[in-house]
Amino acid sequence: MSTSLSEQAPVKPKRLGDRLVADGLLVDDQLNLALKESQRLGKFLGETLVNLGFITEEILTTYLATESQASVLDLSDYFIPPDVLELVPHELSSQFQLLPLGRDGNLLKIALADTYNVMAVDTVERVTGLNVEVVTAPPQTIADAIERYYAQSETITNLVDQLAKQGIGVLGEQSGTEAPMIRLCNQIITFAIQIRSTDIHVEPDEQYLRIRIRVDGLLGREILIPKALQASIIARLKLMATLNVTEKRLPQDGRIPFTSGTKRVDLRVSTLPTNFGESLVMRILDKSAVHLEFSALGFTEHNQQRVQTVVQRPYGILLVTGPTGSGKTTTLYTSLRGVNAQEKGVFTLEDPVEYQMPMVRQTQVNPGIGMTFAAGLRALLRQDPDVIMVGEIRDLETADLAMRAAMTGHLVFSTLHTNDAVGAIPRLIDMGVEPYLLASALSGVVAQRLVRLICQGCKEERTDVDVVLKALKIPPPVDQEPRLWIGKGCRACGMTGFRGRQGIFEVLLMNEHIHLPIVQGPDLPAIRAIANRDGMQTMKEDGLAKAFQGITTVEEVLRVVDG
């Protein structure tokens, strides 16, 4: 007599480690080591496997979700109603690494990193009085979402109102005021990071403290704070940057390492005395947002090949020019990645060191103790370098040393402040560099600007192309029918129609035809004519080509290169 399925003994599910081995994601030796380590530390096996680097958090989340029959959720663009967020206190959410997502009657959906944490589920049900449905996501994703959503719930305005009612004059005057002030400063920085800001300006005025945030190259997002809180906010930010809080008469520079969720950024802080108090500017360096690839920076294949021609030479100088904040350093790092650091000695002099690069010896300059670019370059040349990156050429001594290094078999990268690529030549001659030395040492110049990109969420094609081109006196492209796009404005781009930035470039390559106009002049019109004949595309031409491809707008290109 056969046994029915209901009478058969239930099949015992495989343990996590056995399933990972069976699926080829672990070997037995790794599992045995992880089991011993988890027992020694008193931690879960999954956590130990991740800590040892045997599996990723995403793999662990998927397997645990399968065991607990919980779905894996993408929290990157999830909307949580404020009333749902208020059901679970921030402290409880952080303690158990969980996030309330939505409510349907008596059922509360939560994202929980550890789906087997019965205590977390019981606590939430007790606090909210609701039944709980569990979904999951990787622990880092949940931690980042907790920071993001709860930071939004405690707005800057609420914190300012709270502090203003307490009547704070300076930091620490009253008991209980420090924590709200700390949260206010943290929230200002967190808000700036979330909206992809590059700079935070804290500007004292006669009647209030103004905070402006630069997004996609433009200052906006103005926040007005009562004058009574100015001293406390400035003091707190200076304290975070390890600056002298009592020194208010001299400029100071510092640095703030800041963590928002799982994202870690560095802020370069600068203070300057003004007639209404200290002005403070924080530049946000988000390394995770930078992709050191030529195509990601906006280089066309034509311009990328021209730059790589210089990078592959054994000696010479490649200069990157443009105003402050135009992405020059990122282009230098990207160029430096094309150098084989395993076969060559690669050194950098930077102010500050923005990105860590493997196999590259990087040095921070410090003018306060005499470690200038020139002094560092002299010392560096005694370290047997093949490739040298100098953060910026600021004076004749640095320029002369860089030129002579290029003449003696070194490949040198650096930056300069000029309006275009050809403008680097008279700029260096004005510094005092001999024209003959410049003509022999300089290999190429990259000039660049950053333009805002049309938001992909609200992008639409324009119907008034001919009118726009005629009004702006722009000739249509000769090889295609002119088409233009614009961003209407949406929530994702803050109703601006733009989201993100990319570079527009011109690449000047030196050759024997350009040497004579440099030595005899410099004859800039002749140099430009030769460069254009040899294939140099101007920044304006590069930008307009991107506009006709739907990457940016013609108005944005003209704002950057003609404004």
Side-chain angles (χ1 to χ4, degrees), residues 73 78 99-103 107-111 131-133 135:
L73 205 62
Y78 202 92
L99 188 68
L101 301 175
R103 178 180 179 179
L107 185 66
L108 177 67
K109 178 187 286 188
I110 66 170
N131 296 324
V132 168
E133 175 191 350
V135 297

Side-chain angles (χ1 to χ4, degrees), residues 451-454 485 498 543 546-548 550-554 556-557:
V451 295
R452 294 177 293 170
L453 305 178
I454 299 173
W485 287 260
F498 296 96
K546 288 180 167 68
F548 289 124
I551 296 172
T552 186
T553 67
V554 288
E556 174 67 6
V557 173

Side-chain angles (χ1 to χ4, degrees), residues 49-61:
L49 288 169
V50 172
N51 291 339
L52 290 172
F54 292 161
I55 61 173
T56 65
E57 284 193 339
E58 288 74 15
I59 292 174
L60 175 62
T61 299

